[in-house]
Amino acid sequence: MNQMDVKSARAAAVAATIERIRGIERSQGVTRPALDAMRAELLNLAAQEHLFPSAEFPPPPNGEKGSNRYLMQMDEDGRFALYLNALNPGNSTKPHDHTTWAVVVAVDGQELNKVYDRVDDGSDPERCEMRVREEIMVEPGRGICLMPEDIHSIHTTGAVPTRHLHMYGLALEKLDGRRAFDDQTGHVSYYNKNFMKPTQSAQG
């Protein structure tokens, strides 16, 4: 399959997957069972590894920190946004929420997700106290579902770069209210303003 055939097949597979995910949200709302059903759809998409070749979706060069985030598809109003994130091993993020639902699955590579509970009462918007509730390894065949209020951090492990599909109910660029939580100092800040890097267009 040549590059144009891969691009066409990828676009069709992505569009069909997102259309089914729209239907899940429309019929079930934003619930954990609905997100589980969305994850199943994304796992089927991610299993088609040939549609997401590393040559077209590379991580930052020379083992650099940070991610290359590629937009695969998004509705005109910013809803149902699907990205491919490519990171080198050894990356991590601040714990953060999304303020929308999120589902993450792996094409290749391992990403440890730590999911947190807040143990303070949330009365101080600039301070938090948290503890790790669970750890989930996102890798081929295994993903994670996050409700809008869930807090998680990402830690890339293993020996190969990650290529992971991240699906959101609303585009990351529109999530100005999402927060970062420092689990060491307790400081709360706005994630997009302080930590988010620009999205790239999908290649190929």
Side-chain angles (χ1 to χ4, degrees):
M1 187 179 291
N2 63 39
Q3 187 176 21
M4 291 304 297
D5 289 340
V6 170
K7 180 180 178 180
S8 178
R10 179 170 63 241
V14 165
T17 299
I18 292 178
E19 183 58 31
R20 289 191 292 270
I21 287 173
R22 283 195 200 95
I24 292 168
E25 192 199 73
R26 186 166 54 246
S27 63
Q28 300 185 38
V30 180
T31 65
R32 294 201 185 275
L35 296 188
D36 288 342
M38 295 177 190
R39 177 174 55 189
E41 294 290 350
L42 286 172
L43 285 170
N44 288 335
L45 178 63
Q48 303 175 69
E49 185 180 355
H50 67 283
L51 297 180
F52 307 98
S54 58
E56 292 184 30
F57 302 102
N62 305 315
E64 292 176 6
K65 299 290 186 181
S67 67
N68 283 348
R69 184 174 62 251
Y70 304 93
L71 178 63
M72 308 304 300
Q73 183 177 306
M74 177 179 70
D75 288 3
E76 288 186 4
D77 60 0
R79 297 229 52 218
F80 299 100
L82 178 65
Y83 306 84
L84 187 146
N85 276 15
L87 294 86
N88 292 305
N91 272 275
S92 63
T93 66
K94 290 283 188 185
H96 59 276
D97 62 13
H98 295 106
T99 68
T100 188
W101 58 260
V103 181
V104 180
V105 301
V107 176
D108 193 21
Q110 293 182 316
E111 175 185 281
L112 177 66
N113 279 249
K114 295 182 180 181
V115 184
Y116 300 80
D117 283 329
R118 286 192 67 168
V119 297
D120 63 299
D121 62 8
S123 59
D124 186 343
E126 296 183 354
R127 307 297 299 177
C128 69
E129 185 178 350
M130 304 190 309
R131 65 183 173 209
V132 176
R133 182 176 77 224
E134 62 179 327
E135 296 186 356
I136 299 171
M137 183 66 77
V138 175
E139 57 193 349
R142 189 179 185 194
I144 186 172
C145 303
L146 299 161
M147 293 288 281
E149 68 276 8
D150 286 341
I151 300 170
H152 80 138
S153 60
I154 291 171
H155 311 265
T156 54
T157 61
V160 299
T162 65
R163 278 171 290 142
H164 288 191
L165 297 176
H166 291 233
M167 180 90 202
Y168 300 95
L170 184 65
L172 289 174
E173 292 79 6
K174 292 182 175 289
L175 303 180
D176 293 335
R178 68 176 180 147
R179 296 164 297 173
F181 304 87
D182 193 312
D183 56 333
Q184 301 299 314
T185 68
H187 180 64
V188 179
S189 59
Y190 285 105
Y191 193 90
N192 279 18
K193 179 180 179 180
N194 294 291
F195 302 106
M196 184 170 154
K197 294 184 177 180
T199 299
Q200 303 183 43
S201 298
Q203 300 181 24

